[in-house]
Structures are given as C-alpha cells and as structure tokens.
Amino acid sequence: MRTVARRIPSAALAALVLVPTQIEAYELSAGVGLGWLQAGTVPRLAVGPHAGISWPVQRDILFTVHDLCTILPPTQEGGLGVYNQTSVDIGYAWEDGNVSAGPSVALYVLPACGITLCGRVGGLAVGGHAQTNAYVAGPLGVSVSVNVDWVGRGSLVLPGYVSVVVVAGPVLRWSAK
C-alpha cells in the first residue's frame, strides 16, 4: 500500500493557528464562604473564596470546574490552616440557579485532633464535592458547598479519617451566551 504525502500551504496552517476558536463559557461564578471544616474530632471555623466555570453540555446539563480555598483562622489549638479543593462536576442548571457534584482533589496543611493526639497534617486527598447556587437578585446569589475528602492516611493524628467542609455565602455570576 502506498501513501501520498500532501503539503498544507503555510497560509492555511497560519490560519488554523492564528484564528481563535470560539469557546463559550456559560457561567463564571465567584464568592466567599463561611462555615466549618471537620477533620478529626474538633470542628474549625472555615473562611474562603471559591470560583467556578461552567460550560453547557446539553440544554440544562453543565460541565463545571470549581475551586474552593478554605482558610482556617489561627486558634489556640493549632494555628493557621489552608485547605484547597478543586473538583470537576456534572450539574443541572435552571434560570435562577444550578446544582453540581463530582470528584475532587484537595491539598491541605491544617491543625487537627484525633482521639488521642493533636498536630498538623498535610497532604493530598481525593473525595467528592457538591454545590448549589441560587441567584436571588440578578447575578447576586447564595452558594452552599459541601466537600468530603479522605485525609490523614499514614498520620498518627488522623489515621484514615474523613474531612468534611461545609461553607455558605454570597456568590456573583457572569454569564456569556
């Protein structure tokens, strides 16, 4: 079998590279949440920004990427903690809101207490994420996010424990249709 090589004219190649492809983001959202992080036996106050970008897959079905950076303010029991979680979700949207869920990965360094020990834990954790946004005044709304991750593997402080982050707060969206 013989193959024939064809040359692509340089003008056509330049047009493929230089002409931007139209990619339409359905929704960008950002907000700040306030709530709790539970890792081990002691819940901690959690404050942090979150952002997301969503693309329509079908009429009301969304593909969404979320990032939540949770800051644990310093306390007498431990000190500052940071918990950053990124998720890839499938969701459902309607005119005044959306809901999504999917797998996540988190990077964390935080103070935590187990049954007998307290200390700092850090690492990479896999888990799940669910979020709902309800827009009550145009682009302004309320967001609730629930994140569950498996943390502490190999840690004497949290041997195989689960962390749960629940935050709620205002959210602002920008839509491009």
Side-chain angles (χ1 to χ4, degrees):
M1 177 178 268
R2 186 173 159 221
T3 60
V4 178
R6 298 184 106 185
R7 295 191 66 162
I8 298 174
S10 60
L13 185 58
L16 287 173
V17 172
L18 297 176
V19 175
T21 306
Q22 185 176 9
I23 298 176
E24 184 177 328
Y26 177 80
E27 180 178 294
L28 297 170
S29 63
V32 176
L34 179 66
W36 295 98
L37 181 137
Q38 174 86 38
T41 58
V42 179
R44 297 277 313 267
L45 176 66
V47 180
H50 58 89
I53 184 168
S54 303
W55 295 273
V57 175
Q58 290 190 0
R59 183 175 170 196
D60 296 329
I61 306 299
L62 300 175
F63 172 77
T64 305
V65 177
H66 290 283
D67 189 75
L68 171 67
C69 182
T70 304
I71 308 296
L72 304 175
T75 64
Q76 294 176 350
E77 299 164 357
L80 182 71
V82 178
Y83 195 89
N84 191 79
Q85 184 188 58
T86 302
S87 67
V88 177
D89 299 350
I90 296 294
Y92 178 77
W94 58 94
E95 185 177 342
D96 295 326
N98 60 53
V99 62
S100 62
S104 66
V105 63
L107 292 169
Y108 61 95
V109 175
L110 52 95
C113 289
I115 295 172
T116 59
L117 293 174
C118 288
R120 293 190 71 73
V121 295
L124 178 70
V126 296
H129 169 266
Q131 182 168 331
T132 185
N133 298 325
Y135 299 100
V136 293
L140 184 61
V142 176
S143 179
V144 177
S145 178
V146 177
N147 309 288
V148 178
D149 293 297
W150 287 266
V151 299
R153 290 186 198 103
S155 168
L156 295 175
V157 176
L158 297 174
Y161 279 97
V162 172
S163 73
V164 177
V165 181
V166 178
V167 292
V171 66
L172 184 64
R173 76 173 167 183
W174 301 270
S175 295
K177 295 185 180 183

